[in-house]
Amino acid sequence: MLTGVLYALLAGLMWGLIFVGPLIVPDYPAAMQSTGRYLALGLIALPLAWFGRQRLRQLCRADWFTALKLSTVGNLIYYVCLASAIQRTGAPISTMIIGTLPVVIPVFANLLYSKRDGKLPWRRLAPALVIIALGLVMVNTAELRTGQLDFSWWRYISGIGLAFISVACWAWYALRNARWLRENPDKNPLMWATAQGLAILPFSLLGYIAVCLWMSRTNSDFTLPFGPRPEVFLALMLAIALFCSWLGALCWNIASQRLPTVIVGPLIVFETLAGLAYTFMLRHSWPPLLTLLGIVCLVIGVVMAVLTKPQKSTLAEVVVVTDK
C-alpha cells in the first residue's frame, strides 16, 4: 500500500509539469505541442524497446491494440483537448474541470470494479470525495478571481466541451489501464509504458506532419518544422515526453498494480497539487489563503480515501472458498 502511494505521488509530480509546457511556449498551437510530445515519447521508447525486446514479445496482438487505444485516447486526444480548452477558456476554468478527476475515477471504479477489487462503502467514501471536491472548488475559485479572459460565448462553450472530453478521456484511460495491469500481474510495468510509447509513434508522426502542413497553409509567418524557438520547443518536448509521458506512466502503472482501482483514483490529485506548485513557482509568488485551504482539503480527502479499506463482496468470498 505505502509503495503504491509513493509511486502515485511520483507520477503526480511528473504529470504536474504538463501544465508548465503551454506557459513556456504559448505561441505554439495545442495540436503541435501534443503531437510533438508523443512523437518524442515514441523516439525515446525505441531504444528502450530494443533492450526490452524479450519482454515485449510476450504481448499478443490484443495487448498491442489495447496499448494503441490507451495511448491514443489517454495521451494524444486528452492532451490536444486539454491544451485547446486552456487556450479557449483560460487555465483556471479548464483546471477546475480537469480537477474533478480525483472524484470521477473512484466513483466509476467503485461502480465497475467492486467485484474484483472490493467495494468501498459509499458512506465511508462519500466524505472523502466531498472534501476533495470542496478543496478543488476552493483552489479554482481563488484562481478565477485573478483570471483575465476576453470573453466569447463560442470559445467559452467549446472550451468547456473540450475540457469535459479531456476528463472523459483520462478517466477511461486510468480505469482501462488499471484493469489491464491488474489482470496481467506477470507483465512488467516498464514494458507496458514502453509499449504504449511505441504504439503511438506512427500516429504522432503522421499527426505532426499534418499539423505542419496545416500551419504552412494558414500561418505563413510560423517557422516550420519546429517553430520560432526550435531549441526551446525541442528541449521541452523531450523533457515532457521523458518525465511526464514515460516516467510518469511507469510510476502510475506500478501504483495501479499495487493498489485497488478505487483507491488509486483519488491519488491523481497529486497531479493537481504538483501543477499548482509549479505554477506558483513560475509566478514567483505564494498561493493565497483560499488556495492553501483548498490544498489542505485535497490532502485530507486523499488520506481519508486511501485509509478506507475495500470490502470484498459475499459472492466473491464464496467463490474463493469454493476454489480452495
Side-chain angles (χ1 to χ4, degrees):
M1 176 72 75
L2 179 59
T3 305
V5 172
L6 290 177
Y7 274 110
L9 172 60
L10 288 175
L13 292 176
M14 299 297 172
W15 284 338
L17 297 172
I18 294 173
F19 300 98
V20 178
L23 300 177
I24 297 177
V25 287
D27 47 339
Y28 284 74
M32 193 171 195
Q33 293 187 44
S34 181
T35 53
R37 168 187 173 182
Y38 293 107
L39 177 57
L41 172 62
L43 295 175
I44 292 173
L46 284 176
L48 296 172
W50 172 255
F51 289 109
R53 59 189 181 277
Q54 296 296 333
R55 288 176 175 174
L56 288 174
R57 290 195 183 102
Q58 299 174 5
L59 298 178
C60 63
R61 181 179 301 179
D63 294 330
W64 282 106
F65 185 63
T66 300
L68 175 60
K69 289 191 297 182
L70 288 169
S71 295
T72 302
V73 176
N75 292 332
L76 195 60
I77 298 178
Y78 163 77
Y79 196 64
V80 169
C81 293
L82 174 60
S84 299
I86 292 174
Q87 291 177 346
R88 291 171 180 268
T89 66
I93 297 176
S94 299
T95 305
M96 178 171 58
I97 298 173
I98 300 298
T100 61
L101 280 170
V103 179
V104 172
I105 293 175
V107 167
F108 279 95
N110 215 28
L111 292 173
L112 298 175
Y113 299 148
S114 59
K115 292 183 179 179
R116 184 197 65 197
D117 293 339
K119 186 173 183 178
L120 293 180
W122 286 109
R123 65 181 183 275
R124 297 182 183 179
L125 183 61
L129 297 179
V130 170
I131 293 176
I132 291 175
L134 177 62
L136 292 170
V137 170
M138 295 171 68
V139 168
N140 288 279
T141 299
E143 285 295 296
L144 285 170
R145 289 178 178 177
T146 61
Q148 298 293 330
L149 182 64
D150 295 329
F151 188 80
S152 167
W153 275 110
W154 165 245
R155 288 181 61 84
Y156 177 80
I157 294 175
S158 61
I160 292 294
L162 288 168
F164 276 112
I165 292 174
S166 298
V167 171
C169 288
W170 217 97
W172 178 85
Y173 171 86
L175 293 171
R176 185 65 184 87
N177 188 61
R179 173 185 167 186
W180 190 93
L181 287 165
R182 299 277 288 181
E183 291 176 349
N184 297 271
D186 58 316
K187 299 297 191 300
N188 189 285
L190 171 61
M191 174 271 295
W192 187 234
T194 303
Q196 292 186 36
L198 283 178
I200 200 62
L201 176 58
F203 291 92
S204 57
L205 176 59
L206 293 175
Y208 192 86
I209 293 174
V211 171
C212 288
L213 292 175
W214 175 73
M215 291 290 294
S216 66
R217 293 175 178 267
T218 59
N219 191 350
S220 57
D221 296 332
F222 195 88
T223 306
L224 295 172
F226 302 121
R229 295 184 293 162
E231 65 284 348
V232 175
F233 177 70
L234 291 175
L236 182 63
M237 292 301 100
L238 286 172
I240 291 180
L242 177 61
F243 292 104
C244 299
S245 299
W246 184 79
L247 188 56
L250 171 61
C251 293
W252 187 258
N253 288 346
I254 297 174
S256 297
Q257 276 190 329
R258 294 173 180 266
L259 299 173
T261 309
V262 74
I263 290 181
V264 77
L267 297 181
I268 198 176
V269 76
F270 290 136
E271 177 186 2
T272 303
L273 296 176
L276 286 170
Y278 300 150
T279 299
F280 284 107
M281 288 179 185
L282 286 176
R283 293 179 182 177
H284 301 286
S285 64
W286 287 95
L289 178 60
L290 188 59
T291 300
L292 291 175
L293 292 176
I295 292 173
V296 171
C297 288
L298 291 175
V299 174
I300 292 175
V302 169
V303 171
M304 290 176 60
V306 171
L307 293 179
T308 304
K309 295 182 179 180
Q311 296 179 353
K312 292 293 184 180
S313 63
T314 305
L315 177 61
E317 292 175 354
V318 171
V319 172
V320 171
V321 172
T322 303
D323 289 343
K324 289 182 179 180

